[in-house]
Amino acid sequence: ARTAMACFRGLLAICLLIFALLLKETIAIHRLDKDVSVIIQNGASDMEVRAAKDLRRFLYLTTLSLPKLTSTFVPGRLGENTALVITCRQSGVRELLDLLPMEEQVDVAARVAALADEHYMIKSLSPNVVALIGGSPTGALYACYRFAELLGVRFYIHGDVVPDLTALGAKPLASLPPIDLTDEPVFAKRGLQPFHDFPEGPDWWNTDEYKLHLSQMAKMRMNFIGLHTYPLQEPTVWVGLPQDVNADGTVKNSYQTSYANSLRTGWGNQPANTSDYHFGNLLLFPGECAGPDVQDGICPYPLTPDQQNLLFDRVGVMLNDG
């Protein structure tokens, strides 16, 4: 009993230490006394626009104040308001660096020039201007998510966690504290490889699940997804000849296959109608077969050549939309 209690106390101490370290790097802020603007350059890439919109959303969630989103950066017109400027190395940052003291400009310019594609810098250029600079639009996107983490946001595959900083004792600030960090990935490839052919895996994903996972992966600075598949056993991968594919990507000929579903056997799963589920679980399903949307009406397997082709075509649309 003493050994078990000692282990419990040790684990508790480790957890408290990790929690304290996470809080240490969090900007203690739940309301800024001045207006905030998120600024992107004219002609910014789609990824930079996405970064700006996400950063604006996380600022709202953590400060309860909706920042302005603009493509106009005129330092002399900011006054005392706070500006978060999103840009990337290729777009040029000369105007931003002019905000720094002369003795810092050469050093910071060299750091910016050295940023590789997925590298980024978050740098306070003045008491009220913070630059989020990426080595590319991808790096700028990562910089915005890293800044959100400084606000206390945490990203996981299942979704975002936004803390109640008021409950944590955070105090309102008149401006953001000075920030100066440069970050880069430790590994070139960072991602997930979910396994198909199981009801516990992506066999049951629909378009929304693909979008959720890919969006969360980007927030966690991942850049790779690999779908572990079994050709001929599932419709993620079509196997055939070039002449069996139409110009629009739909297929002319295919074969019988399916994703895991509640009416299919395999890997220890026994087929069952959803109407046989206990404790009201049957109410969660619109039909007798529980599975992905691409198999609506063709569950557990497609039975005709047209249904076989339809399943592959539906999967193609789902993956393309995702």
Side-chain angles (χ1 to χ4, degrees):
R2 290 181 178 178
T3 302
M5 181 57 70
C7 290
F8 172 76
R9 289 174 177 172
L11 289 173
L12 180 61
I14 292 172
C15 291
L16 290 174
L17 176 61
I18 293 173
F19 182 70
L21 290 173
L22 290 175
L23 283 182
K24 184 178 179 181
E25 69 164 14
T26 299
I27 297 175
I29 169 179
H30 67 267
R31 179 174 60 83
L32 281 170
D33 290 339
K34 299 184 177 76
D35 291 337
V36 179
S37 295
V38 175
I39 302 173
I40 54 177
Q41 293 185 332
N42 283 316
S45 66
D46 291 343
M47 195 169 292
E48 291 170 278
V49 173
R50 167 66 184 269
K53 289 181 177 179
D54 273 1
L55 179 59
R56 184 178 185 235
R57 181 167 68 90
F58 289 121
L59 281 163
Y60 172 74
L61 292 174
T62 53
T63 68
L64 300 182
S65 178
L66 185 63
K68 301 172 184 176
L69 180 58
T70 178
S71 59
T72 302
F73 177 64
V74 182
R77 295 182 184 177
L78 284 175
E80 295 183 350
N81 295 332
T82 297
L84 302 172
V85 185
I86 301 167
T87 186
C88 56
R89 172 175 53 82
Q90 296 87 339
S91 301
V93 292
R94 182 69 264 169
E95 186 179 33
L96 291 174
L97 296 184
D98 287 341
L99 296 174
L100 290 168
M102 186 64 67
E103 60 272 17
E104 286 190 57
Q105 291 185 18
V106 174
D107 174 66
V108 174
R111 290 168 57 191
V112 170
L115 293 174
D117 285 351
E118 295 188 345
H119 298 190
Y120 58 85
M121 174 191 295
I122 303 177
K123 171 71 175 173
S124 297
L125 304 180
S126 72
N128 61 331
V129 177
V130 178
L132 296 92
I133 306 170
S136 68
T138 300
L141 181 73
Y142 291 168
C144 290
Y145 293 140
R146 182 69 180 94
F147 189 87
E149 289 176 340
L150 294 176
L151 294 174
V153 179
R154 291 296 178 265
F155 302 118
Y156 304 95
I157 286 298
H158 68 272
D160 308 327
V161 176
V162 180
D164 184 347
L165 295 181
T166 302
L168 293 175
K171 303 298 183 182
L173 297 178
S175 62
L176 294 174
I179 305 170
D180 187 358
L181 66 87
T182 304
D183 206 356
E184 62 186 76
V186 176
F187 301 102
K189 295 295 182 185
R190 312 168 304 280
L192 301 176
Q193 184 168 314
F195 275 47
H196 273 287
D197 206 34
F198 302 91
E200 299 84 1
D203 269 29
W204 283 23
W205 289 5
N206 298 311
T207 300
D208 286 346
E209 281 71 40
Y210 277 100
K211 289 181 177 179
L212 169 66
H213 283 78
L214 293 172
S215 296
Q216 295 306 115
M217 288 170 63
K219 295 172 185 176
M220 299 167 73
R221 273 84 85 193
M222 297 183 188
N223 62 1
F224 168 84
I225 183 169
L227 299 176
H228 183 283
T229 65
Y230 296 84
L232 304 179
Q233 300 298 315
E234 61 196 53
T236 307
V237 177
W238 173 83
V239 178
L241 300 173
Q243 57 265 32
D244 291 330
V245 182
N246 294 309
D248 62 358
T250 58
V251 298
K252 302 175 185 177
N253 295 299
S254 57
Y255 41 87
Q256 188 181 70
T257 186
S258 76
Y259 283 127
N261 58 73
S262 63
L263 295 180
R264 198 184 84 171
T265 59
W267 299 104
N269 298 306
Q270 298 300 317
N273 291 323
T274 58
S275 59
D276 295 329
Y277 292 175
H278 299 296
F279 307 111
N281 285 324
L282 64 92
L283 300 176
L284 298 173
F285 304 97
E288 290 287 15
C289 181
D293 291 347
V294 293
Q295 288 202 225
D296 285 351
I298 46 177
C299 194
Y301 291 95
L303 300 178
T304 67
D306 286 343
Q307 287 184 344
Q308 294 169 7
N309 293 342
L310 176 62
L311 177 56
F312 279 103
D313 293 343
R314 285 178 175 178
V315 172
V317 171
M318 174 182 68
L319 295 177
N320 187 60
D321 289 347

